[in-house]
């Protein structure tokens, strides 16, 4: 679920700003699997790489990203009870960043994280209690924007072994 919301790991030092009340989405507890559209991201990321170097760089990036194409998360009642903290932690360890939640409802979350030299915008649609879709747009100074699309699906009430607990 963490990747649904933002796509990365724990943050305990960023500045968290609420522009709106955070609403807990209607989602099922249990095991969720997130799939990231790596191909579209690679195409965008390689656009600024010289054409002659693209095949080699693509291969290196594909090899590195294969392990992040699918991930499992265990969503518990505690996760939902601490939904605001989960949002904050999902942005990663960013001491000089500000997280702003622009819209929050049972079916949609829109947020942005502003750091020196970059802005990350996320929109997550909770399609139903077993399916969500996220788009993360990164704008890093001096680089073209990149978009990462993710789909998360509930798979069972029982969390799978190896699923990260949230």
């Amino acid at each position: 679920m963490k990747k649904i919301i933002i796509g990365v790991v724990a943050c305990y030092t960023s500045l968290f700003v609420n522009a709106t009340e955070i609403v807990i989405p209607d989602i099922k507890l249990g095991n969720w699997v997130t799939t990231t559209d790596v191909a579209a991201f690679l195409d965008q990321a390689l656009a600024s790489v010289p054409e002659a170097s693209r095949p080699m760089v693509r291969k290196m990036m594909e090899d590195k990203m294969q392990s992040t194409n699918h991930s499992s998360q265990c969503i518990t009642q505690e996760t939902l009870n601490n939904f605001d903290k989960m949002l904050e932690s999902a942005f990663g360890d960013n001491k000089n960043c500000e997280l702003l939640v622009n819209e929050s409802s049972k079916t949609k979350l829109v947020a942005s994280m502003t750091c020196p030299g970059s802005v990350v915008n996320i929109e997550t649609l909770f399609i139903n209690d077993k399916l969500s879709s996220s788009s993360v747009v990164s704008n890093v100074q001096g680089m073209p924007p990149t978009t990462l699309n993710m789909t998360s699906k509930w798979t069972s009430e029982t969390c799978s072994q190896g699923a990260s607990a949230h």
Side-chain angles (χ1 to χ4, degrees):
M1 178 70 173
K2 224 182 234 189
K3 290 191 177 189
I4 298 171
I5 307 300
I6 307 299
V8 232
V9 284
C11 168
Y12 34 86
T13 55
S14 70
L15 178 60
F16 188 59
V17 178
N18 291 336
T20 188
E21 179 184 349
I22 296 175
V23 177
I24 298 170
D26 284 328
I27 59 173
K28 289 192 67 76
L29 301 179
N31 195 66
W32 284 76
V33 175
T34 300
T35 303
T36 305
D37 183 358
V38 176
F41 174 78
L42 285 175
D43 290 342
Q44 292 174 23
L46 291 172
S48 61
V49 174
E51 187 138 358
S53 301
R54 283 183 195 166
M56 179 187 66
V57 174
R58 176 180 289 279
K59 175 74 172 124
M60 289 185 335
M61 290 176 76
E62 284 175 343
D63 290 348
K64 186 162 185 105
M65 295 181 87
Q66 282 299 344
S67 63
T68 60
N69 192 23
H70 298 284
S71 64
S72 292
Q73 299 85 33
C74 182
I75 303 302
T76 65
Q77 187 60 53
E78 184 179 353
T79 303
L80 295 182
N81 292 344
N82 296 298
F83 192 66
D84 58 338
K85 292 183 182 6
M86 186 183 71
L87 284 176
E88 182 179 359
S89 71
F91 273 99
D93 187 10
N94 297 292
K95 296 176 185 174
N96 299 316
C97 299
E98 180 179 324
L99 173 63
L100 179 65
V101 176
N102 300 305
E103 182 179 346
S104 180
S105 71
K106 295 218 178 259
T107 60
K108 186 175 185 180
L109 175 74
V110 178
S112 61
M113 183 175 68
T114 303
C115 301
S118 69
V119 176
V120 176
N121 296 299
I122 181 161
E123 181 172 318
T124 298
L125 300 175
F126 299 98
I127 299 161
N128 59 47
D129 65 346
K130 296 180 182 179
L131 180 66
S132 70
S133 175
S134 297
S135 177
V136 179
V137 180
S138 298
N139 293 289
V140 178
Q141 192 173 25
M143 297 178 64
T146 56
T147 302
L148 202 54
N149 294 309
M150 294 167 276
T151 302
S152 294
K153 295 179 182 178
W154 178 86
T155 58
S156 71
E157 290 179 6
T158 306
C159 292
S160 65
Q161 190 174 19
S164 54
H166 300 291

